[in-house]
Each structure stands twice: as C-alpha cells, then as structure tokens.
Amino acid sequence: MQTDDTILSIAEAEELIADVLRASGAAEAAARSVARALVAAEADGQAGHGFSRIAAYAAQVRSGKVDGHATPVVAARRGGMIAIDAASGFAYPAIDLAIEELARLVPETGLAGAAIRRSHHCGQLGAHVERLASRGLVALMVANAPKAIAPWGGSAALFGTNPIAFAAPRARGEPLVIDLSLSKVARGKVMAAAKAGQQIPEGWALDREGRPTTDPRAALEGTMIPMGDAKGAALALIVEILSATLTGANHSFEASSFFDAEGPPPGVGQLILAFDPGVTAPDFCDRIEVLLGAILAQDGTRLPGTRRLAARERARSEGLRMPAHLMAEIAQLRAG
Amino acid sequence: MQTDDTILSIAEAEELIADVLRASGAAEAAARSVARALVAAEADGQAGHGFSRIAAYAAQVRSGKVDGHATPVVAARRGGMIAIDAASGFAYPAIDLAIEELARLVPETGLAGAAIRRSHHCGQLGAHVERLASRGLVALMVANAPKAIAPWGGSAALFGTNPIAFAAPRARGEPLVIDLSLSKVARGKVMAAAKAGQQIPEGWALDREGRPTTDPRAALEGTMIPMGDAKGAALALIVEILSATLTGANHSFEASSFFDAEGPPPGVGQLILAFDPGVTAPDFCDRIEVLLGAILAQDGTRLPGTRRLAARERARSEGLRMPAHLMAEIAQLRAG
C-alpha cells in the first residue's frame, strides 16, 4: 500500500489542496489560506487537522455550509480589541486577518485581542499563535468546537473539546508552542478503537447516560471526559465563554458538525490575544530561557512541541506522504 | 472548644486584622487592603486564604520579608497594558490598584491587562476577578506561587500550583466566578493526612524521586501532581510564563515561601486581563444566561461558585467564627 502513496513537497501539497478547493467553488484567497493551514498541520504531524480534512472541507464549500467566497472583516474595534466576522467562511482567512491586525495594533496598544465569530474549524491552534510569537509577541488562543464534553455531573455533551494554545518567543531557536484540547484524549482515539473492535480504558469517556464506559461505540454516543475531571470541565466553561459568548459566536451545543456538509454553518468562535513583552518585561526572551533551561535540567523532561518541530523538519526535507486513497479522492474532487 | 470561639461580624474581623497588621508595622492602607482580602476569603469559605494567614503575614511584616510600607505603582504603560510594581509589599494593594486601572482603561481600550511583579500571596483569585465582573467586565487572572509541581517527567518541584480565575457578568444575579489551582488536590489536604496519620490516594502526589506515593510525608517532601497530568503540567507552564516571565516576576522555582518570615521577598507575579464585552458581544449578558441555563438544565450539574455564595451569605448573616487559638495568637500580635 505504501508504494501507491504519493510524496509531495510542501509547495506541491498546497497547490493540490488549493486546486481542490477552487474546483469546489472557493475563492482564490480562501483556497490559498486553507491549503497553507492544512499542509502546515500535516507537516507538523497533526494529521487530524491536515490532509484528512480535505474532502469534508470541499464538500462543505459545495453544499454552501461554508461560504467559499466569504471575506472576513473587522466588524467592530475599540483600542486593542477587535471583532472579526468570519462571515461563515473558513476560519483560516479570518485568523490570517486577526494575526495581521494584532501585529499591527500591539506596537500601539501593548496588548491586543481579536474575537472571531461566524467561524469554522480552526485546525492546529498552535500554528496560529506561533506566527505571533515569530514576530516577538506572546500569544494565547482559545476556540470552541461542536459539543463533545458534558458539564460536570451531567450526561449530555455541551462543551466542545475547547482547545487552548500558547506561544512565546525565545532568545534561542523557534518559539515555544503549547497546544492542548480539554478532553482527556482525542475523540479520534475512540473512533480508532471502535474501528479496531478494541475496548478503551476507563476514564476516557462516558456513555449517553453519563456512566463510565470502556465500549468505544457507547463512548461515541456519549461524551468525552475532560482532562482533570471537574477542574477540566470548569476550564472548558471558561474557554466556552471566552471563545463563544464573548466573541458573539454560537456556543458549542448550538454548533453544527465540522465534518458533514449538512445543516447551517457551525458559526463557532475563536479568541486570540497578543502581548508585546517589551511593555512589562523587556528581558522576556532571556528570562524564558532561564525557565525552560530549569525544566530541561531535570532528567525525563522535554519541552512541548519537540515532536512537532522534528516532524516539520522531516516534512521539509523528505516531503509529505499523501495516501493513495486520499489522492484518488482528490483526483475526483478536482475533476468536479 | 467551639464555645471558646469568637463570632465576629465582617466589619469587626476586618478591624481586628488591620489592627494586627498595623501593630506589626504595616501602613494603614496596606493593613486595610489585606484585612479586606483575608476576611472576604474567610467569608467565602476559603479558609486557606483567610484567617489562617494572619500570623504568617504579621511575621513577614515584622521581619521585613514583606514591606508593610510599600506603595504599589504603575511602573510602565502602553495602551491597555500596564506593569505594576508591588514593590515587595503585600499583593492586595497592588491588585486593588490593578483593578482600578483596568476599570478606568477598558472604556478606552476595550481590552486591558495588568502585569504585577515583586508581589506576594494573592489569596482567593476569584474574589479579585469578581470585582471586575461586578463592573460589567469579563476578567481572567493567573498567578504563580512558590514551587510545588514538577515539570512533566521530572521529579523536582518547579511550578507553583499556578491558579487560574475567571469571572463574567450575568443578566441575572451575581457574576459567574471560576477559580481553580492546577494541582490535582490542594497541598493542604496532604498536610491534613500527614497530621492525621492517614494515607493519601495514589494520583495526588509524587515522592522526591518522582515516584507515585500514598505516604503523605513522602508527598510533602516531593511534588503535587498537576490536574490533568501532562496536559495540566503544560497549563502550569503557560500560567508560569504569563504570570512570571511576562510580568517580570520571579519564577515559582526562584520564589521564597509565602509561609515563613525568612529570606528575601517571594517576588511572584500576577496577570489580570479585563474585557469589555460590549465591543465584541453587546448581548453578552443574555447569551451567558443561555449557556448557563443549558448547563443547569442537565440533572446533576451546578454552576461553579454555588457553595462560595452560600458561605458568603451565611457569613453576612451569622458572622465569622474565629477559633480560640487564633484569637489568642491575635491578642499576642496586637500587644506587639
């Protein structure tokens, strides 16, 4: 099977995906932005936010669930805070706009925030905040997503896996990037166990009555357990309010699926904050090296993102592997 | 024993504590600010941040570890971002200043942030962000604290329990307040087990070699396990960078104890952010009721802070209980 796979350079993969999206009816700018984000996630070893999304994205443009011609706009602003309307298009063009605006604002405002509404799946959050850290800023991002986690004590999904990402510049090397979702494990692991006919460990998920389960099929009908149990559910609520209530987006329990092409747009939200460390800590980049050095001085530790950077390096030198079944799907999608 | 306890009104308790602090050498404004914060924590049922701190605070003023005459100042500002130097005094006067500045800035800047350095134990974080939410703002706060949690895979304490607090205004009733520390359980529970000669459950703590332990004495020599394990350790790193590296404060592993009166000031940091929801979500207060209503519609759920508000109500109507041993200690401290 491996022999049928195609090896693509990063540029080739971007071109191919942009092509599929254009063929599905997306405008040039949106197609390019989405292609860049999916390829970056795939290169970073985040397969769940990479090539695996192409077909679903294309189908949603075709059905109109995603407006492939939407142009994100700054809908309101005051000082360092802006509201961005993603206009029911893809998330990535809105995030691109947010990053440009934040980087432009911060030299004036010290701290700036972008609240994105009417948005969609935002993929690998770490990659977005990393772009701000590459410009010398400290960045924090939260997002909501279709419901997957129950409120603590409850049994029905209400919060998304509501990820948190953070990035900071360093004196040496690439920015530090931390990216985590608030479910104990990714739902993809439960799907994989269901496919393989295997049990899942207790503590991953609840069935639809809110009882712990080791049956992956019962788990898929139920909810994912938050990391840190009750405290994690409280964090999911914080992220829900910051990324949806505060942005004017749909709450997770109001949002349609990121995967199928049916129904109204998901309309989820994202909040991105950027700090210029020069205002409060001119020696930030030296001090973070002291902190990270103290971590690495302990045996058995590593910094977040180590595997991601290694995967990226490999992708740049060896290219990306597009499985044969996806390549066939893409050929069909390009043909229209 | 209970019959020897003293029942104090909130005003009486504040007066008593301010008196102790003045007798220990604190300036009037600092004594008042600290007294208010300790009494508010005690009233909210947060005993670990309430009366139990009086003696240690007084001793630190006496020894000079806390500068009882420090005046917090805005040391730098740009747009919505300010740096506050707590000047090795108590944290609460610096937090009071931060709250006033943030509330003043936000109508102009939409989003504002206060980075506090050279600070001390900040007690019940939820009470601080609640003051911003009472003014219609959404607020987020993080703080670091002397080392208690190891980096993931390591064995030596490096991060504090690094709490996160959040508050949001509501259309109905008191603000929503969420307040959590990043250790799986509070260190106080381990201390209680050690005193009682009881074992602790596996999963709470590691011994000083980084091995899981159920022996509370070994745990006290070791480290607390973060909530959510590896993900929680990553969150502790995010909070460490935001509250210490970005504020210019000491990192948790560089900070002296909040309890004893020895050594240099702890010099920890706090970061407080305030958002005016009117910029990005004019209907915020109605929408948060929809979200909180959806949570409460599920059997078995409750909102964070329910117990805290009930305790506060009781304290207002029935007063606060000061145990006899603390009252005796206070009498000694007032005598000088």
Side-chain angles (χ1 to χ4, degrees):
Chain A
M1 176 177 156
Q2 201 165 317
T3 51
D4 292 341
D5 295 349
T6 306
I7 304 295
L8 299 166
S9 73
I10 285 175
E12 287 166 343
E14 286 183 1
E15 194 52 48
L16 195 64
I17 295 173
D19 223 34
V20 168
L21 292 165
R22 280 187 299 253
S24 305
E28 175 66 21
R32 292 244 155 247
S33 172
V34 174
R36 260 198 310 271
L38 293 186
V39 171
E42 188 75 27
D44 280 5
Q46 305 289 313
H49 299 305
F51 294 165
S52 65
R53 298 276 176 164
I54 299 171
Y57 278 17
Q60 288 175 68
V61 175
R62 280 176 202 266
S63 76
K65 187 174 182 178
V66 170
D67 180 354
H69 284 265
T71 301
V73 293
V74 177
R77 64 166 77 234
R78 189 198 300 163
M81 192 71 202
I82 56 173
I84 291 182
D85 183 355
S88 300
F90 285 110
Y92 307 109
I95 291 168
D96 292 344
L97 175 62
I99 288 170
E100 290 312 311
E101 284 283 332
L102 292 172
R104 199 178 60 72
L105 281 167
V106 154
E108 295 289 321
T109 61
L111 161 65
I116 305 174
R117 64 175 187 257
R118 293 212 291 166
S119 192
H120 196 270
H121 172 246
C122 66
Q124 185 195 10
L125 273 75
H128 309 315
V129 285
E130 185 180 16
R131 289 160 69 187
L132 289 162
S134 296
R135 302 187 191 196
L137 305 177
V138 174
L140 186 67
M141 176 172 182
V142 289
N144 77 329
K147 63 184 180 182
I149 294 176
W152 197 246
S155 57
L158 195 142
F159 304 123
T161 50
N162 289 10
I164 298 175
F166 173 84
R170 298 182 55 176
R172 296 192 289 275
E174 299 292 313
L176 174 76
V177 179
I178 301 172
D179 186 343
L180 56 103
S181 76
L182 294 184
S183 55
K184 197 165 285 183
V185 297
R187 202 177 167 87
K189 286 193 181 179
V190 181
M191 293 195 253
K195 268 191 195 164
Q198 289 165 340
Q199 298 250 296
I200 56 170
E202 195 154 325
W204 282 17
L206 304 174
D207 69 16
R208 62 180 176 192
E209 261 80 51
R211 297 170 303 207
T213 184
T214 58
D215 174 357
R217 286 156 311 169
L220 290 173
E221 287 172 6
T223 62
M224 300 303 294
I225 295 181
M227 64 83 102
D229 302 320
K231 288 191 179 193
L235 276 176
L237 175 56
I238 296 177
V239 171
E240 187 73 34
I241 296 171
L242 288 173
S243 62
T245 324
L246 182 62
T247 64
N250 281 340
H251 291 123
S252 296
F253 69 90
E254 301 162 326
S256 65
S257 166
F258 287 163
F259 288 103
D260 67 36
E262 316 302 316
V268 292
Q270 290 101 27
L271 178 71
I272 312 176
L273 304 179
F275 303 81
D276 182 343
V279 180
T280 53
D283 59 349
F284 180 90
C285 288
D286 293 325
R287 292 278 296 149
I288 197 171
E289 294 300 338
V290 173
L291 172 62
L292 301 180
I295 293 172
L296 290 174
Q298 290 191 33
D299 284 343
T301 60
R302 62 176 185 82
L303 296 184
T306 313
R307 279 191 295 249
R308 181 181 45 78
L309 290 175
R312 186 184 297 179
E313 203 44 61
R314 264 197 316 279
R316 283 180 179 158
S317 61
E318 300 168 19
L320 292 163
R321 178 176 301 274
M322 177 79 81
H325 71 93
L326 267 185
M327 204 63 189
E329 210 168 48
I330 284 173
Q332 272 195 321
L333 289 166
R334 289 171 84 187
Chain B
M1 178 178 154
Q2 203 166 313
T3 52
D4 293 341
D5 295 350
T6 307
I7 303 296
L8 299 166
S9 73
I10 286 177
E12 287 167 344
E14 286 183 2
E15 194 51 50
L16 194 65
I17 296 173
D19 223 34
V20 169
L21 293 165
R22 280 187 299 253
S24 305
E28 175 66 22
R32 292 245 156 246
S33 171
V34 173
R36 259 196 312 270
L38 293 188
V39 172
E42 187 75 27
D44 281 4
Q46 306 288 312
H49 300 305
F51 294 164
S52 65
R53 299 275 176 166
I54 300 171
Y57 278 18
Q60 289 174 67
V61 176
R62 280 175 202 268
S63 76
K65 187 174 180 178
V66 170
D67 181 353
H69 284 265
T71 302
V73 293
V74 177
R77 65 168 75 235
R78 187 198 301 164
M81 192 71 201
I82 57 174
I84 291 182
D85 183 354
S88 299
F90 285 110
Y92 309 109
I95 291 168
D96 293 344
L97 175 62
I99 288 170
E100 290 312 311
E101 284 283 333
L102 291 173
R104 199 178 60 72
L105 281 167
V106 154
E108 295 289 319
T109 60
L111 162 66
I116 305 173
R117 65 174 186 259
R118 293 211 294 167
S119 192
H120 196 271
H121 172 246
C122 66
Q124 185 196 10
L125 272 77
H128 310 314
V129 285
E130 184 180 15
R131 290 160 69 187
L132 289 162
S134 296
R135 303 189 189 195
L137 305 177
V138 174
L140 186 69
M141 177 172 180
V142 290
N144 76 328
K147 63 185 179 181
I149 293 176
W152 198 246
S155 57
L158 194 140
F159 305 123
T161 50
N162 289 10
I164 299 175
F166 174 84
R170 297 181 56 176
R172 296 192 288 275
E174 298 292 312
L176 175 78
V177 178
I178 301 172
D179 186 341
L180 56 104
S181 75
L182 294 185
S183 55
K184 196 166 288 182
V185 297
R187 201 176 167 89
K189 288 196 181 179
V190 180
M191 291 193 254
K195 269 191 194 164
Q198 289 166 340
Q199 299 251 295
I200 56 171
E202 195 154 324
W204 283 17
L206 305 174
D207 69 14
R208 63 181 176 194
E209 261 80 51
R211 297 169 304 205
T213 184
T214 57
D215 174 357
R217 287 156 311 171
L220 290 173
E221 287 173 6
T223 62
M224 300 302 295
I225 295 181
M227 64 82 99
D229 301 321
K231 288 190 178 191
L235 276 176
L237 175 55
I238 295 176
V239 171
E240 187 73 33
I241 296 171
L242 287 173
S243 62
T245 325
L246 182 62
T247 64
N250 281 341
H251 291 123
S252 295
F253 69 91
E254 299 162 328
S256 64
S257 166
F258 286 162
F259 289 102
D260 67 35
E262 316 301 316
V268 293
Q270 291 101 27
L271 178 72
I272 311 177
L273 304 179
F275 303 81
D276 182 343
V279 180
T280 54
D283 60 350
F284 180 89
C285 288
D286 294 324
R287 293 277 298 148
I288 197 171
E289 294 300 338
V290 173
L291 172 62
L292 301 180
I295 293 172
L296 290 175
Q298 291 191 33
D299 283 343
T301 59
R302 62 176 185 84
L303 296 183
T306 314
R307 278 191 295 249
R308 181 180 45 78
L309 290 175
R312 186 183 298 179
E313 204 44 60
R314 263 197 318 280
R316 283 181 180 158
S317 61
E318 300 169 19
L320 293 163
R321 177 177 301 276
M322 177 80 79
H325 72 92
L326 268 184
M327 204 63 188
E329 211 169 48
I330 284 173
Q332 274 197 320
L333 290 165
R334 287 171 84 186

